[in-house]
Amino acid sequence: MALPDLQGKKLVHLDLKGAPPRIDYLHKLIGLFSGLGADGILVEYEDMFPYEGELKVLQSTQHSPYSREEVLSIQEVAKSQGLEVIPLVQTFGHMEFVLKHKSLWGLREVGHCLGTLNPHREEGVRLVEEMLRQVVELHPGSTSLHIGADEVYLLGEGEESRSWLSTPGRTVQQLFLSHVTRVAKGVREAWPNLNMIMWDDMLRGMDHDTLKGSGLVGLVQLMLWDYNPTLDVKNTVYLLERYSGAGLSELWAASAFKGSTNVHTCVTSTQRHVDNHLQWLQVAAALPEGIHMLGIALTGWQRYDHLSVLCELLPLALPSLASSLQTLTHGDCVFHPKSVCLSVPCPSSTTGDSVLFPGRRLAELVVELTAILQSEELRHFEDNMFVRGWFTPYHRQRKIVSPLIAQQLQSQAMTLLALVEQRVAMVKKEMVRLYPASTAQEWVEQHVSPVVAPLQRVLEDTRASLLEMVPQNVSASMVGQ
C-alpha cells in the first residue's frame, strides 16, 4: 500500500518526564531509531532539562537532570546518525512540572489544576519565554520547535479568565488563541527561521472563520494526534481538510508506539500500535490532492502526565516501534506483532533477519514478572477457597482461625512472595544498568507493591494467628518458615 504524503519525515518521540534513560543507553537508542528508518527525534525534556538561573527550580529532584554536555551529546549522536532533533516545550497545558512548585502556584489558571497556566499573568508569559530561550539556545542546530499547547484543561474557569470572558463576544477559544499566538509570535521574532509545531486538539472545535482569523496561519504547523487503533479515518480526513481550508496547510500526523493503551500498562501491545499506523495509512490514502503532510511523529509516552504512574518502559516498546516504522514504510508489518517480539527487524537485511535490541534482557524480565503479577493465583489470592472460607476478616479479628488452614495459606503466600521477590531483584539489577536507581524503585513501588500488598497482609495475619492459636514451641517453628 502506498503512503502518499505521509512519506514525509518520521519522528520518534522521546518522553523524558519519567524513566529518563542513562545517557549511554540513550545514545544506543538513537542509533537504533536511525537504523529502523526514523528521520528525527522529538524530545520532550520536561524537568530533565538543565534549566538555569531562576528556572533551576524546574529541574527534577527525583533524578539528576541531563547536563548541558549530555543534551549537546544527544544532538551530536543524532546528527551523526542523520537524525534531526526537535525539542518540545509545553507552553500552556501540561505545565504540571512547573506549576507544582509552591513559588509558582500563583501562575495556575485554577488552584486545583496543576497543568494549565494562567494566560493573564505577565510573569507566566515571561516564564514560558525564558524556558523557550534556554531550550532553543541549547539546541543550536535545530530548525524546528514544538510548543505543545494540548489539553489546556479548565481554561476560562480562573477568576481572571471569567472576568475577561464577561466582556460580550469573548470566548474561551479566543482566550486560548490569544496566548498561543503571543507565544508563537515571540518565538518568530526571536528566531525568525525556526519552524514551530503545536498540537491540534484545542483547535478541533473551532469553525472555519475562527481558524482563519486565529493568527496562527503561516505561523505554526499543526500536529494532529490520534493514537486509537480504530482511528476514525473519515473524521480525521475531514479535520485535516478543515485545517488546510482555513490556511493552516502545514500539517503533521501523530501516532503512538507506546504509552497510550492504559495509564499503568507495563507490556506494550504491538498489534494495537500497528493497527493505529494502518489507520493513519488509510487517512493518507484518502486525502485529497493539495493537502500536504510534512510527516508523522510516533509518540512514546512515558507518563500520561507529570504526576501519573510510569507507562511501558522503552525496551518493552522497541518491537512496537520497529513494527510501526515498518508499517509506515512498507504499508504492512511482516512479523508477528500479536506476540511480544524481543528482536527487531534489521532494515539493511533483505532476508528479514532480526537483531537484538539494546535493553532486550530487561524487556524479557519485565514480561516474565508481569505474567506472574497478572496470574490468577496471585491476583485473586484473597478470593481462593481457603481465604474466603476459613480466613475472612471476621475470622482474623476474632482469632477463630484454623491453624491447619493458616499454615497452608502461609506456605502458599511465602512461596508466591519468594518467587516475586526473586524476579523483582533480577528486574531491578537489569533496570539500573539502563535507568537511574530512582526509576527502578519507582517502577517497583508502582507496579509490583500494590499487587503483592494483599498477599503480604495475608502472610502477616497468618503469622499473628498462629502465634495466638498454636502452642509456642509449635508456632515458633511455623512462623519461622
Side-chain angles (χ1 to χ4, degrees):
M1 180 179 182
L3 184 56
D5 288 333
L6 274 183
Q7 281 284 21
K9 295 177 180 177
K10 294 182 284 292
L11 309 175
V12 176
H13 172 236
L14 277 173
D15 181 13
L16 302 176
K17 63 174 170 281
R22 293 186 184 276
I23 195 66
D24 55 340
Y25 181 51
L26 189 50
H27 289 169
K28 291 177 182 177
L29 289 172
I30 292 170
L32 178 66
F33 298 162
S34 175
L36 292 174
D39 301 297
I41 53 176
L42 178 63
V43 187
E44 188 164 356
Y45 294 98
E46 271 218 2
D47 58 357
M48 288 302 294
F49 187 80
Y51 287 109
E52 296 181 328
E54 292 183 0
L55 297 189
K56 192 167 185 178
V57 67
L58 304 185
Q59 291 187 12
S60 173
T61 55
Q62 182 181 6
H63 316 289
S64 296
Y66 294 113
S67 67
R68 295 177 63 83
E69 292 72 25
E70 287 172 334
V71 171
L72 290 171
S73 76
I74 291 170
Q75 297 166 70
E76 290 165 4
V77 172
K79 184 178 180 181
S80 73
Q81 296 291 331
L83 302 179
E84 71 170 305
V85 178
I86 301 176
L88 190 159
V89 182
Q90 287 288 3
T91 57
F92 206 172
H94 283 299
M95 297 278 285
E96 294 93 349
F97 81 102
V98 176
L99 301 177
K100 70 178 183 180
H101 297 285
K102 192 169 185 177
S103 60
L104 300 172
W105 284 3
L107 299 183
R108 299 176 187 174
E109 169 71 343
V110 291
H112 60 280
C113 179
L114 276 64
T116 299
L117 185 74
N118 181 337
H120 307 280
R121 299 286 178 89
E122 284 299 316
E123 55 266 44
V125 175
R126 288 196 297 271
L127 172 71
V128 166
E129 290 173 344
E130 179 60 15
M131 289 167 60
L132 291 168
R133 184 192 68 78
Q134 292 194 23
V135 171
V136 171
E137 290 185 357
L138 201 55
H139 290 77
S142 292
T143 58
S144 297
L145 168 72
H146 199 306
I147 60 171
D150 60 318
E151 297 180 331
V152 187
Y153 298 130
L154 304 186
L155 180 63
E157 296 190 16
E159 185 177 340
E160 290 171 90
S161 288
R162 288 200 303 270
S163 175
W164 187 88
L165 290 167
S166 67
T167 300
R170 288 180 173 176
T171 66
V172 173
Q173 292 179 347
Q174 291 172 346
L175 181 57
F176 171 80
L177 291 170
S178 66
H179 176 78
V180 173
T181 54
R182 180 176 179 181
V183 169
K185 286 176 180 177
V187 171
R188 177 57 51 84
E189 184 178 339
W191 303 282
N193 298 319
L194 197 61
N195 297 313
M196 270 175 289
I197 305 169
M198 66 175 280
W199 300 116
D200 82 298
D201 55 286
M202 295 297 292
L203 307 181
R204 292 177 189 176
M206 298 183 187
D207 60 27
H208 174 86
D209 291 340
T210 302
L211 289 171
K212 192 169 184 179
S214 64
L216 296 175
V217 175
L219 190 59
V220 300
Q221 301 168 355
L222 292 186
M223 184 172 279
L224 194 159
W225 59 270
D226 195 322
Y227 315 139
N228 200 313
T230 58
L231 176 156
D232 187 328
V233 173
K234 184 177 179 180
N235 185 62
T236 303
V237 170
Y238 171 69
L239 193 52
L240 289 166
E241 288 177 323
R242 281 184 53 226
Y243 290 151
S244 183
L248 295 161
S249 55
E250 293 188 291
L251 300 164
W252 291 82
S255 57
F257 71 92
K258 83 177 194 76
S260 64
T261 303
N262 193 293
V263 68
H264 54 74
T265 298
C266 288
V267 178
T268 305
S269 169
T270 299
Q271 184 66 60
R272 175 186 176 90
H273 298 293
V274 166
D275 288 345
N276 175 234
H277 289 86
L278 288 171
Q279 293 300 97
W280 272 112
L281 287 178
Q282 291 190 44
V283 171
L287 285 175
E289 259 187 78
I291 295 186
H292 176 56
M293 298 293 288
L294 298 173
I296 185 168
L298 294 85
T299 63
W301 300 103
Q302 193 53 70
R303 302 185 194 273
Y304 275 28
D305 65 37
H306 183 75
L307 301 176
S308 66
V309 300
L310 295 170
C311 299
E312 315 101 275
L313 298 175
L314 267 168
L316 278 296
L318 293 178
S320 171
L321 175 62
S323 300
S324 297
L325 283 167
Q326 184 187 62
T327 299
L328 290 175
T329 302
H330 301 294
D332 200 359
C333 179
V334 298
F335 6 63
H336 308 287
K338 289 186 179 180
S339 62
V340 179
C341 304
L342 293 178
S343 58
V344 296
C346 181
S348 60
S349 171
T350 57
T351 63
D353 291 340
S354 295
V355 294
L356 301 184
F357 62 78
R360 170 182 173 139
R361 181 56 182 154
L362 176 59
E364 291 174 330
L365 291 171
V366 170
V367 169
E368 292 170 3
L369 175 58
T370 300
I372 295 170
L373 295 174
Q374 293 179 348
S375 67
E376 289 289 316
E377 186 179 14
L378 200 157
R379 279 277 179 185
H380 302 291
F381 189 83
E382 289 190 304
D383 289 330
N384 79 41
M385 182 181 72
F386 296 106
V387 175
R388 295 292 299 274
W390 287 272
F391 207 65
T392 65
Y394 177 91
H395 291 94
R396 298 183 219 183
Q397 290 165 10
R398 290 163 176 77
K399 303 293 190 293
I400 49 172
V401 174
S402 164
L404 184 63
I405 297 294
Q407 186 179 17
Q408 183 171 339
L409 288 173
Q410 183 188 65
S411 176
Q412 292 174 353
M414 290 178 69
T415 299
L416 279 173
L417 283 171
L419 176 61
V420 170
E421 288 168 2
Q422 177 196 43
R423 296 305 174 92
V424 166
M426 295 169 69
V427 166
K428 289 178 72 174
K429 182 179 179 181
E430 190 65 24
M431 198 176 291
V432 296
R433 294 179 59 249
L434 310 180
Y435 294 98
S438 52
T439 291
Q441 188 62 33
E442 179 185 3
W443 190 90
V444 170
E445 290 185 18
Q446 289 177 348
H447 295 289
V448 180
S449 299
V451 180
V452 299
L455 200 63
Q456 290 169 330
R457 285 195 297 270
V458 169
L459 182 58
E460 291 167 5
D461 288 348
T462 57
R463 287 172 171 164
S465 298
L466 288 170
L467 286 171
E468 290 280 342
M469 301 292 292
V470 178
Q472 282 192 348
N473 60 330
V474 178
S475 64
S477 63
M478 290 180 175
V479 174
Q481 289 181 33

